[in-house]
Amino acid sequence: MRPQDDGDPQLAEFGYTQKLDRSIGRFASFAAGISYISILTGTFQLFYFGFGAGGPAYVWSWPMVFIGQLMVALCFAELAARYPVAGSLYNWTKRLGSATTSWLAGWVMLTASIVTLAATVLAYQITLPQLWSGFQVVGDGTGTYDVAVNAVVLGGLLVLFTTLVNAFGVKLMSRINSTGVFIELVAAVLIVVILGVSATRGPQEVLTDTAGTGEGQPLGYLSAFLVAALASGYVMYGFDTASSLGEETKDPGRTAPRAIIRAITASFVLGGLILLFGLMAAPDLADPQLASSSGGLQYVLLQVAGTGLGKAFLVCIVVAITVCCLAVHTATIRMAFAMARDNNLPFSAKLARVDPRRRTPVVPAVVVGVLAIGVLLLNVRQPQIFTALTSIAVVMIYLAYLLVTVPMLLARLRGRWPLPTAPGRFSLGRWGLPVNVLAVLWGAGMALNLAWPRREVYNATGEQHWYLQWAAFVLIGGIVAVGLAWYLLRQRKRSGVLPEHALVADPPPTPA
């Protein structure tokens, strides 16, 4: 076999030749994972939902979700040490399970990521108009659809930006992303300090205050807490982005596992402190603005830090949202590229083409951007449908993670794991089995909690419709059924590494 351009043997195991630009360093790899999670985006975008559903005590969901997702991240780190390739989940499952399971993991993650990109760019609407009223370009914000339409306008511009950056090449993407993450981390630390110094109550007053949200619920506060926990569950995922950029990372077998674990740990520490200190510093926990999408944690920060400093921090949050969306777009492109390289998507040859000058897949960048804007347009007149779709996207990501951790567990139980790996690479050793079991149990439980047909999640406003309330089961079932039908009936027999990406045998030597 012809050796890899950079001497990395991992791609050869999958039958691929090196095409992408291997230029991402350690910090850029870490930044890719932490920007996808994006503590400033997630905590500030979803605080109002968690607080409204579970009161101040909802903050307990943050460590709960971290512990569960850490089990998944540890499994992923072990896989990233062995298989640091693009479209990580898809290619990992190819080694752990069947070709059909691998395709389904990729399909579920790909469709979910496109919707996730559309949902994440809406965070601009929560922050920009509070920074300057001029960002409310559609109406004055009081009209029936002013906020929804303006969110689409701002979000569409952000998708256009992430599309252009990703189409230009991974070096520009990583530079912008790393700079944005540095700003986000510095801002997060300063926000923690300011909120901590401004605290007006002790942690015990926050951690035990349910704000009466459990009253009248069938399981008391547990019912309210399970809903509020979605706010944390919606944030702490995407740490696999570092491994999905493995083909573009230097020494990925060592770099990617560390980036995965560091990204989720740093996000937990800083995000948890922001939530806790934000609640401790809020002037009035009974203020309805705390449970409003137009107020939330941004409202607390502006009150505590003052208008000038508070708006400076809002600028940092805008930067965090921007690089978060950039990372989501980047990871989605790598999944589309990885599946297309195996001829497992429509128009695979075009989607898998790597621009020879920029050494990046340009067509997937444009296609993902166009599809995300298409999904985003649903928010114009049907915000309740869009809310259901964004919740479903997170459920699908948890399901995609299960399509990795379950085959991994089966491989362990059948004695096919651990697979041999290079010395010094990350390994769970004897802890692998219990960690893997916990990862599967957590993933299944959280996916069920996310998908549960609650009106306050899937049909919170407007007329009640059964298909909205049961949207997670109906829509995910439809996406899986349609995708599997296309793959099994049409594409499975055509699947295989495209010739332009295949690692071919060297010709025999010419006789002397």
Side-chain angles (χ1 to χ4, degrees):
M1 289 289 188
R2 183 186 304 148
Q4 288 301 114
D5 295 347
D6 55 5
D8 188 354
Q10 274 84 16
L11 287 180
E13 290 190 44
F14 289 88
Y16 304 140
T17 186
Q18 179 74 29
K19 292 276 190 178
L20 303 177
D21 182 11
R22 194 178 290 279
S23 59
I24 295 177
R26 291 182 181 178
F27 183 79
S29 178
F30 162 75
I34 204 167
S35 62
Y36 195 123
I37 300 173
S38 190
I39 44 178
L40 292 189
T41 302
T43 54
F44 279 82
Q45 185 179 19
L46 293 163
F47 171 87
Y48 82 93
F49 177 84
F51 182 87
Y58 106 90
V59 75
W60 281 109
S61 66
W62 191 256
M64 180 191 77
V65 170
F66 166 70
I67 292 170
Q69 290 295 76
L70 179 62
M71 299 299 104
V72 179
L74 289 170
C75 291
F76 284 9
E78 206 170 24
L79 285 163
R82 187 69 181 84
Y83 305 121
V85 293
S88 49
L89 275 70
Y90 162 75
N91 275 312
W92 292 342
T93 310
K94 194 191 301 181
R95 283 290 178 265
L96 297 169
S98 67
T100 301
T101 304
S102 171
W103 184 88
L104 184 59
W107 172 247
V108 169
M109 190 68 182
L110 178 61
T111 52
S113 297
I114 292 170
V115 178
T116 299
L117 176 59
T120 307
V121 297
L122 290 179
Y124 260 9
Q125 179 62 32
I126 297 176
T127 303
L128 284 176
Q130 293 196 57
L131 185 62
W132 177 48
S133 60
F135 284 116
Q136 183 64 44
V137 295
V138 178
D140 59 2
T142 60
T144 305
Y145 298 109
D146 285 2
V147 171
V149 176
N150 199 69
V152 171
V153 172
L154 297 177
L157 291 173
L158 180 51
V159 172
L160 177 61
F161 170 77
T162 60
T163 300
L164 293 173
V165 171
N166 274 299
F168 193 84
V170 74
K171 286 181 180 177
L172 177 62
M173 183 283 299
S174 63
R175 286 169 185 163
I176 293 174
N177 192 62
S178 296
T179 302
V181 167
F182 179 78
I183 292 171
E184 180 176 5
L185 291 174
V186 171
V189 171
L190 292 176
I191 289 171
V192 167
V193 172
I194 288 174
L195 291 175
V197 170
S198 305
T200 60
R201 61 186 64 83
Q204 70 281 356
E205 298 177 61
V206 169
L207 298 175
T208 58
D209 185 359
T210 64
T213 51
E215 295 177 9
Q217 300 273 11
L219 298 176
Y221 184 65
L222 179 60
S223 294
F225 181 77
L226 288 175
V227 176
L230 303 185
S232 298
Y234 285 169
V235 177
M236 219 173 294
Y237 64 87
F239 37 80
D240 53 294
T241 304
S243 57
S244 198
L245 290 168
E247 290 179 38
E248 296 151 279
T249 302
K250 300 171 185 176
D251 193 14
R254 288 184 173 84
T255 302
R258 295 170 183 169
I260 289 171
I261 296 171
R262 288 170 180 169
I264 191 171
T265 303
S267 299
F268 161 69
V269 173
L270 291 174
L273 290 175
I274 287 173
L275 290 174
L276 179 61
F277 288 166
L279 289 165
M280 291 168 58
D284 182 8
L285 291 177
D287 190 334
Q289 278 293 318
L290 297 184
S292 168
S293 61
S294 61
L297 202 52
Q298 290 92 326
Y299 175 74
V300 174
L301 186 59
L302 287 171
Q303 282 192 311
V304 169
T307 303
L309 186 57
K311 288 192 173 183
F313 283 128
L314 290 187
V315 171
C316 296
I317 294 169
V318 171
V319 171
I321 295 169
T322 303
V323 295
C324 174
C325 295
L326 183 61
V328 174
H329 199 152
T330 302
T332 310
I333 292 166
R334 271 58 189 177
M335 181 60 73
F337 167 76
M339 296 182 71
R341 181 170 55 181
D342 286 346
N343 197 30
N344 273 333
L345 288 177
F347 311 106
S348 285
K350 289 183 173 60
L351 289 170
R353 183 178 181 274
V354 176
D355 184 276
R357 186 163 65 91
R358 296 185 174 89
R359 297 186 69 187
T360 194
V362 175
V363 174
V366 177
V367 171
V368 169
V370 170
L371 291 175
I373 290 176
V375 175
L376 193 61
L377 291 174
L378 290 173
N379 196 59
V380 173
R381 296 277 177 174
Q382 299 293 339
Q384 63 178 2
I385 293 178
F386 192 84
T387 301
L389 279 176
T390 55
S391 301
I392 289 166
V394 181
V395 178
M396 292 175 68
I397 288 173
Y398 276 77
L399 288 177
Y401 285 2
L402 277 171
L403 288 169
V404 176
T405 55
V406 170
M408 189 179 189
L409 178 59
L410 293 176
R412 290 185 193 277
L413 295 175
R414 293 168 180 169
R416 294 192 292 110
W417 189 272
L419 297 176
T421 188
R425 300 290 175 88
F426 179 85
S427 174
L428 290 171
R430 63 179 181 174
W431 291 100
L433 181 59
V435 167
N436 203 160
V437 170
L438 290 173
V440 170
L441 292 175
W442 161 257
M446 195 60 181
L448 182 61
N449 185 40
L450 287 161
W452 200 257
R454 301 180 178 94
R455 287 188 173 183
E456 57 264 55
V457 176
Y458 292 101
N459 205 164
T461 60
E463 186 179 350
Q464 300 298 307
H465 300 287
W466 72 268
Y467 54 83
L468 281 179
Q469 193 171 339
W470 289 87
F473 294 94
V474 173
L475 193 59
I476 293 174
I479 290 172
V480 169
V482 170
L484 277 178
W486 176 83
Y487 175 73
L488 295 174
L489 298 177
R490 174 181 171 82
Q491 202 65 22
R492 181 173 57 170
K493 293 181 180 179
R494 305 179 184 184
S495 179
V497 182
L498 295 175
E500 58 268 32
H501 290 279
L503 190 70
V504 297
D506 288 324
T510 304

